[in-house]
């Protein structure tokens, strides 16, 4: 007989410092609001089954959070607006943060510089 129960937990090996979306199971299952929020992984507990998290921006630690209630927030998702920004149109930067604009300006300046040849000996 085959077990038809499937885990909804993705096969992810979380690492310290990563950002995750965490759903507090107690708040969720009791129907309370604000049950899902972004956290940073502070510590991997024994066996990698639970993790100590720091919710952003509150900073109040969550100890022994189950990986079943965590989902990785990949950097590619956070940077998608920069990667896909239509920089050649008017008003393209209106929705971007100042840091994103500064980074893009720096990249543009570096890309347009002529490479210098090493000094002749």
């Amino acid at each position: 007989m085959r077990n038809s129960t499937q885990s909804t937990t993705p096969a992810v090996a979380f690492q310290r410092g990563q950002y995750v979306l965490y759903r507090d199971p107690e708040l969720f299952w009791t129907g309370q609001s604000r049950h899902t929020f972004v956290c940073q992984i502070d510590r991997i507990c024994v066996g990698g089954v639970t993790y100590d998290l720091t919710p952003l921006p509150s900073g109040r630690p969550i100890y022994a959070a189950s990986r079943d209630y965590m989902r990785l927030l990949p950097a590619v998702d956070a940077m998608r607006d920069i990667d896909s920004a239509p920089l050649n149109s008017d008003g393209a930067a209106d929705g971007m943060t100042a840091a994103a604009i500064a980074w893009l300006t720096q990249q543009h300046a570096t890309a347009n510089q002529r490479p210098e040849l090493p000094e002749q000996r």
Side-chain angles (χ1 to χ4, degrees), residues 58-110:
S58 77
R60 288 187 311 267
I62 298 171
Y63 299 106
S66 171
R67 68 179 177 193
D68 291 339
Y69 291 94
M70 295 167 42
R71 296 297 181 265
L72 184 62
L73 294 173
V76 70
D77 291 343
M79 302 304 285
R80 186 169 285 128
D81 63 329
I82 292 174
D83 295 338
S84 61
L87 299 178
N88 57 353
S89 64
D90 291 336
D94 291 347
M96 297 176 72
T97 65
I101 293 170
W103 182 84
L104 287 169
T105 302
Q106 179 185 23
Q107 296 305 310
H108 179 72
T110 303

Side-chain angles (χ1 to χ4, degrees), residues 2 7-8 14 24 28 38 56 59 65 67 72 77 84 87 103 115 117:
R2 199 170 154 210
S7 173
T8 59
F14 296 109
D24 183 309
F28 178 77
V38 175
L56 305 176
R67 68 179 177 193
L72 184 62
D77 291 343
S84 61
L87 299 178
W103 182 84
L117 296 173

Side-chain angles (χ1 to χ4, degrees), residues 38-60:
V38 175
C39 296
Q40 189 170 24
I41 298 174
D42 285 330
R43 189 171 76 93
I44 302 168
C45 300
V46 178
V49 178
T50 61
Y51 299 81
D52 291 347
L53 309 174
T54 298
L56 305 176
S58 77
R60 288 187 311 267

